[in-house]
Amino acid sequence: GAVVSQHPSWVICKSGTSVKIECRSLDFQATTMFWYRQFPKQSLMLMATSNEGSKATYEQGVEKDKFLINHASLTLSTLTVTSAHPEDSSFYICSARSGQGINEQFFGPGTRLTVL
Amino acid sequence: EDQVTQSPEALRLQEGESSSLNCSYTVSGLRGLFWYRQDPGKGPEFLFTLYSAGEEKEKERLKATLTKKESFLHITAPKPEDSATYLCAVYFNKFYFGSGTKLNVKP
C-alpha cells in the first residue's frame, strides 16, 4: 500500500516552455500533497504544500507564479513549471499524506527536469 | 537555525560492520520523527515513524530509537544493498528534513 506515482520520470525542454508534472496517490486518498526540489547531493527542499480543493501554501522564496500547483482531487496534484529556464533544472519529488498532522508522507519516484 | 541535524554526513562500512546514524533536533513539542531511505535518482522510501521518547522500531537489519533530543538508526551487520542515503524528518508544525547520511557498505 501507500504508493505514489509521478509522471513523467524525466523531461527535457527548451528554455521558455512550460512543463507539467503529475503526482498521483494510487491506493489511498491524499488530503495533503507536498512538492520538493532536490539538488545533487543535497537534501529535500520543500517548495509548497497543497490541500485538496484549496490553494497551495508556498515556502518563502518560492515563486507562486512560476511554480503553479493544482490539487484538484484526493489522488492528483500537478506542478507546472512556467517559462522554464536552465536554473529550474532539478529533481522534483512529490509526496502524499492521508489525514492531517503527524501522518507519514509517502514519496513519488521523482521527476528529473532538464531545461536547455 | 537548523532544526534537524544528521551525522555523519557520510559513512563507509565493511559488510557486517554494525554502526549507528544520528539525527538530532532542536524543535520542542515534537510530534513525530520519520526515517527514510533514498537511493540515487529515486524518491525517499518510508522506513519508520517514532512518536515518543523510548520508542523503538525494527525492520530487518535496521532499528530506530528515539530520545527527547535525538534519534538513532542502528544498522546491524549491514550488506552492500543497504548502501543509500538515510534521511530523517521531524514534524512540529510542519515537516523538517535533515541533510541525510550517505551510507556506503563495501563487500
Side-chain angles (χ1 to χ4, degrees), chain B residues 19-37:
Chain B
S19 188
S20 296
L21 282 54
N22 178 264
C23 172
S24 62
Y25 53 92
T26 56
V27 295
S28 58
L30 177 77
R31 298 179 63 192
L33 185 142
F34 309 86
W35 281 98
Y36 291 86
R37 168 192 171 130

Side-chain angles (χ1 to χ4, degrees), chain A residues 34 36 38 41-44 46 59 91 93-94 97 100-110 112, chain B residues 6 31-32 34 36 38 41-46 49 51 87 89 91-92 94-95 97-100 102:
Chain A
F34 304 87
Y36 293 86
Q38 189 174 37
K41 300 183 179 180
Q42 294 188 26
S43 190
L44 304 170
L46 179 65
E59 294 298 302
F91 191 52
I93 311 175
C94 73
R97 182 182 70 183
Q100 301 291 329
I102 60 176
N103 289 8
E104 54 268 12
Q105 303 175 51
F106 295 96
F107 285 86
R112 173 73 59 191
Chain B
Q6 289 189 247
R31 298 179 63 192
F34 309 86
Y36 291 86
Q38 187 176 23
K42 297 186 178 181
E45 173 191 347
F46 171 73
T49 306
Y51 294 105
L87 298 169
Y91 183 84
F92 173 47
K94 66 177 186 179
F95 288 93
F97 275 87
S99 55
K102 185 174 182 179

Side-chain angles (χ1 to χ4, degrees), chain A:
Chain A
V3 179
V4 177
S5 69
Q6 270 184 254
H7 178 79
S9 55
W10 59 270
V11 57
I12 301 173
C13 69
K14 293 181 179 180
S15 185
T17 61
S18 295
V19 174
K20 180 184 284 188
I21 302 170
E22 290 188 351
C23 176
R24 293 181 184 272
S25 58
L26 299 184
D27 53 0
F28 66 102
Q29 293 188 327
T31 52
T32 307
M33 287 186 168
F34 304 87
W35 286 95
Y36 293 86
R37 185 172 179 177
Q38 189 174 37
F39 293 102
K41 300 183 179 180
Q42 294 188 26
S43 190
L44 304 170
M45 183 191 81
L46 179 65
M47 298 175 66
T49 301
S50 71
N51 293 294
E52 184 264 339
S54 60
K55 290 184 178 180
T57 301
Y58 290 81
E59 294 298 302
Q60 191 173 5
V62 177
E63 298 178 58
K64 301 178 183 181
D65 295 332
K66 182 163 190 62
F67 299 99
L68 301 178
I69 292 172
N70 183 282
H71 191 163
S73 76
L74 285 172
T75 60
L76 173 65
S77 177
T78 60
L79 167 67
T80 302
V81 183
T82 62
S83 187
H85 289 93
E87 58 266 29
D88 299 323
S89 299
S90 190
F91 191 52
Y92 292 88
I93 311 175
C94 73
S95 70
R97 182 182 70 183
S98 62
Q100 301 291 329
I102 60 176
N103 289 8
E104 54 268 12
Q105 303 175 51
F106 295 96
F107 285 86
T111 297
R112 173 73 59 191
L113 170 63
T114 302
V115 185
L116 302 177

